[in-house]
Amino acid sequence: MNKIMKHGLLILATGAFVVSCADYNETSDFTAQPDPTYTEAYTDLAPVKSYINRDKYPNMSLGAMLKVADFNKQELAHAAAITNFNNVTFGSTLMSGAIVSENGIMNFLSMMDLLNHVEEINGEVYGSPIVANANQADAWLTHLTAPIEIAVDFIEGKTINFNEMAVGAYDASLIGKGKASIVKYDDQNVLQINTSSNVKIVAGFDVSPKDKYTCTFWARSAKDVEYNITFSGNKVNGDGADGKWTLKAGKWTKVVVEAQSAEGETEGYLQIENLRKAAIYVQKVQVGYYPDNHRPQTAQEINDTIHYALNTWCDGLMKYNEGRIKSFDLIDEPIDTKSADVVAGIYDIKHGTADQIFWQDIFGSEDYAPVVSKVASAAYEKYGGDPAALKFFISETGLEDQKTFESLKHWISVWEQKGAKIDGINAKLNLTYSEDATTQAATDAALNTLLDNLAATGKLIRLSNFDIKYKDADGNAVTAAAITDAQRQKLADYYGTVLKTYMTKIPNEKQAGICKANMVDTNDPVGLWSLNDTKDWVRNATYKAFCDALSGK
């Protein structure tokens, strides 16, 4: 494969990565040279991961988050990630919501491409959450748990025979506009609807928007006419122009109208709006309906369905994984910080609403992780995965809050007692550096407490979402475009502090690593690289801070 991209992008040829803007993309057999047309700071530094002091931190790992599409392009972001980081993760783009259609069709093509490539280059992927509350195949789960179609019988409803009515005025309450009356026509009494008149030819029965009604009437006119039909608030289109109904002159015609009532409408009626050419005569009206031909699934049916869905999803995921991804987030963000306590000081886990089913609603709070870990583990082994290498993490945000942390610890204990495999905690960071000393001191204290708490669990500890934003002394966000060199250095120093604190407080054998959410600046100055005027990636002070901290300086 040969790709050539100008202006600081990747040149990929026979396995060598070359980037014109810097030498941060290199493999074991090739070192790129910087573009001689301009000078970039920190060009003398090697790839970030090469600075990890393996004597002091033998298990330390550095990860980067990418979208599958960006990785599979094998361009600049891809090159920066595999050159500078030990592993990549793909967030929601490898979750069921991005892979499973409403009808249960699973598209693993992009995942297969990236895993085949990662295997070729001896790379490593950290797996996206297997189950969660967000980014799930909600349309599929809704489809699977939808009411079941059943056979129903037609129910006879109301019948009106105008021949049984006396000649004279028609019920005025059924005339919305114009005139209508019972007249003698074709040797029988019929309802005459004059031109430019709106008349209900049948009314006074209950309706439900779930039921499908069939209204049949016999009509005749001396001329070809057009008319509109409304059934209980819903206009019903006919076969004529603009949805009009048409009636040929000269003979009685059977008209069949199938319709449902408008939402919220409880009065059943069929109304004819006669247009301008001639009177319409109606002989007889009959109304019947098919009741809703669906029934809700029973609790047992839904339980069986959701278990089927989990087994199907995990089987597909692990079939195409083939044991290559060895570490996964088992469950993402289970704790409901807005819930009532299940026991003193402990939040419940999240549960769905009337409009959305969560996995845990079916499995139950206590069996949530045990069920998922059992199914996922079995599928992993089924398709060649080494069970000794498999690691499951619970990922959660806001763990600097003590009650949230205690709640997660409680649920992990409950789940493990019921047989769940939980190897580690993936703590999502929400960090901001502040120029206000009091605010920053509180941030430092919260981070130290968090790491002490995590270390005390004895679990593998991974930190993710490792982006640090910047605020000035007044609490205003400082953007990547506005940050000064001095501010960037303060930010870089704080990145280094967090890295070193993690490596100090978390025991070496429990260090599952840190994952960078964004490698390059966004609107916030969160990257190891900044963007120059031509959108090339330029190493900044944070790049050097990572190198220094990982080396043990």
Side-chain angles (χ1 to χ4, degrees):
M1 167 168 45
N2 293 294
K3 292 185 180 180
I4 298 178
M5 308 213 175
K6 301 299 184 182
H7 306 298
L9 293 182
L10 169 71
I11 299 173
L12 177 61
T14 63
F17 295 99
V18 184
V19 178
S20 63
C21 66
D23 63 346
Y24 56 72
N25 297 298
E26 68 174 18
T27 64
S28 59
D29 60 351
F30 183 84
T31 301
Q33 296 300 320
D35 187 332
T37 60
Y38 70 96
T39 301
E40 178 195 345
Y42 313 116
T43 55
D44 57 328
L45 295 173
V48 176
K49 67 183 180 183
S50 68
Y51 286 89
I52 298 175
N53 185 335
R54 292 297 175 193
D55 292 333
K56 294 180 67 174
Y57 314 112
N59 299 308
M60 180 61 186
S61 178
L62 197 62
M65 179 176 285
L66 282 175
K67 293 181 179 179
V68 171
D70 291 338
F71 184 83
N72 282 346
K73 287 178 184 177
Q74 296 188 24
E75 295 177 356
L76 180 54
H78 163 278
I82 66 170
T83 304
N84 291 279
F85 296 84
N86 302 107
N87 60 75
V88 287
T89 188
F90 296 98
S92 63
T93 54
L94 284 187
M95 294 173 71
S96 65
I99 290 175
V100 188
S101 74
E102 179 180 356
N103 294 323
I105 298 172
M106 300 187 181
N107 184 353
F108 288 99
L109 292 176
S110 294
M111 175 177 153
M112 290 167 61
D113 286 345
L114 78 88
L115 287 179
N116 289 339
H117 174 61
V118 167
E119 191 172 33
E120 289 174 359
I121 62 174
N122 198 28
E124 182 180 338
V125 173
Y126 182 89
S128 298
I130 293 173
V131 294
N133 308 309
N135 301 304
Q136 296 299 279
D138 293 326
W140 182 46
L141 298 182
T142 299
H143 177 75
L144 287 175
T145 56
I148 296 171
E149 286 191 11
I150 57 175
V152 294
D153 294 325
F154 185 76
I155 297 176
E156 298 290 345
K158 191 167 186 176
T159 298
I160 303 289
N161 189 341
F162 294 106
N163 194 42
E164 297 174 353
M165 296 183 181
V167 171
Y170 188 56
D171 187 342
S173 68
L174 301 179
I175 303 173
K177 173 186 174 184
K179 295 181 179 181
S181 58
I182 306 298
V183 300
K184 194 77 171 181
Y185 180 80
D186 196 24
D187 296 326
Q188 59 186 314
N189 292 353
V190 297
L191 173 64
Q192 176 182 289
I193 302 173
N194 290 5
T195 59
S196 302
S197 298
N198 297 345
V199 178
K200 295 176 181 176
I201 64 173
V202 63
F205 55 93
D206 295 332
V207 290
S208 166
K210 293 182 179 181
D211 295 332
K212 186 175 183 179
Y213 293 81
T214 299
C215 301
T216 303
F217 62 92
W218 284 259
R220 184 171 176 176
S221 177
K223 296 181 180 180
D224 291 352
V225 296
E226 292 181 327
Y227 57 99
N228 292 322
I229 288 180
T230 300
F231 179 80
S232 297
N234 265 341
K235 181 181 178 182
V236 184
N237 286 333
D239 58 0
D242 299 324
K244 294 181 176 65
W245 291 72
T246 58
L247 181 63
K248 293 296 183 181
K251 63 178 182 178
W252 288 103
T253 300
K254 181 180 180 180
V255 182
V256 179
V257 180
E258 293 186 338
Q260 289 175 285
S261 65
E263 190 71 35
E265 185 71 59
T266 58
E267 179 197 357
Y269 66 85
L270 183 74
Q271 176 179 282
I272 290 179
E273 178 189 2
N274 186 12
L275 302 177
R276 290 173 292 277
K277 291 192 176 181
I280 295 174
Y281 300 94
V282 180
Q283 183 187 65
K284 186 178 181 180
V285 186
Q286 292 176 310
V287 179
Y289 67 98
Y290 284 99
D292 183 18
N293 64 333
H294 297 84
R295 67 159 178 81
Q297 293 188 36
T298 66
Q300 186 59 54
E301 286 170 335
I302 290 178
N303 183 286
D304 293 345
T305 296
I306 295 300
H307 276 81
Y308 157 81
L310 179 67
N311 278 274
T312 302
W313 161 240
C314 289
D315 190 82
L317 176 66
M318 296 308 181
K319 177 180 179 180
Y320 294 103
N321 178 43
E322 297 178 318
R324 291 174 288 189
I325 302 176
K326 299 175 177 61
S327 294
F328 293 86
D329 281 341
L330 182 71
I331 296 172
D332 184 49
E333 298 187 14
I335 304 303
D336 184 359
T337 58
K338 297 180 181 179
S339 68
D341 292 2
V342 290
V343 295
I346 300 299
Y347 291 123
D348 195 1
I349 67 171
K350 293 174 183 173
H351 289 282
T353 64
D355 299 325
Q356 186 179 20
I357 292 177
F358 285 174
W359 303 98
Q360 57 269 35
D361 298 335
I362 308 305
F363 305 146
S365 297
E366 294 188 358
D367 289 320
Y368 183 25
V371 168
V372 177
S373 69
K374 179 180 179 181
V375 172
S377 297
Y380 180 82
E381 293 182 44
K382 176 181 176 182
Y383 293 106
D386 177 7
L390 179 62
K391 299 291 186 289
F392 284 148
F393 291 73
I394 306 295
S395 57
E396 186 56 84
T397 188
L399 291 176
E400 59 274 11
D401 175 77
Q402 188 66 27
K403 185 174 177 180
T404 304
F405 173 79
E406 293 295 338
S407 299
L408 179 64
K409 191 169 71 168
H410 165 83
W411 284 110
I412 288 176
S413 175
V414 169
W415 292 334
E416 288 185 321
Q417 289 174 29
K418 303 201 80 174
K421 172 181 171 59
I422 300 173
D423 302 284
I425 296 172
N426 181 15
K428 297 181 179 180
L429 298 178
N430 300 283
L431 293 175
T432 298
Y433 176 81
S434 175
E435 291 179 352
D436 178 77
T438 301
T439 301
Q440 188 55 37
T443 299
D444 292 342
L447 176 65
N448 279 286
T449 299
L450 169 63
L451 291 172
D452 287 337
N453 284 339
L454 291 170
T457 66
K459 298 287 186 185
L460 294 170
I461 301 301
R462 182 176 188 262
L463 303 183
S464 60
N465 196 40
F466 188 37
D467 281 357
I468 304 178
K469 299 179 181 180
Y470 194 102
K471 288 188 177 180
D472 63 21
D474 296 321
N476 300 312
V478 177
T479 66
I483 195 167
T484 66
D485 289 345
Q487 288 173 322
R488 176 75 78 170
Q489 188 59 58
K490 290 179 182 178
L491 179 60
D493 291 343
Y494 189 54
Y495 267 108
T497 297
V498 175
L499 282 165
K500 287 185 283 188
T501 304
Y502 168 82
M503 292 186 291
T504 299
K505 287 183 174 290
I506 304 301
N508 286 345
E509 69 276 9
K510 300 300 181 181
Q511 292 175 8
I514 293 181
C515 181
K516 194 73 178 70
N518 288 283
M519 296 184 291
V520 67
D521 283 347
T522 60
N523 185 60
D524 295 299
V526 294
L528 284 70
W529 291 266
S530 301
L531 294 171
N532 65 14
D533 293 340
T534 58
K535 303 300 181 183
D536 281 324
W537 289 23
V538 180
R539 292 171 178 174
N540 59 44
T542 301
Y543 188 105
K544 185 176 188 303
F546 265 68
C547 297
D548 289 346
L550 293 168
S551 65
K553 290 184 180 180

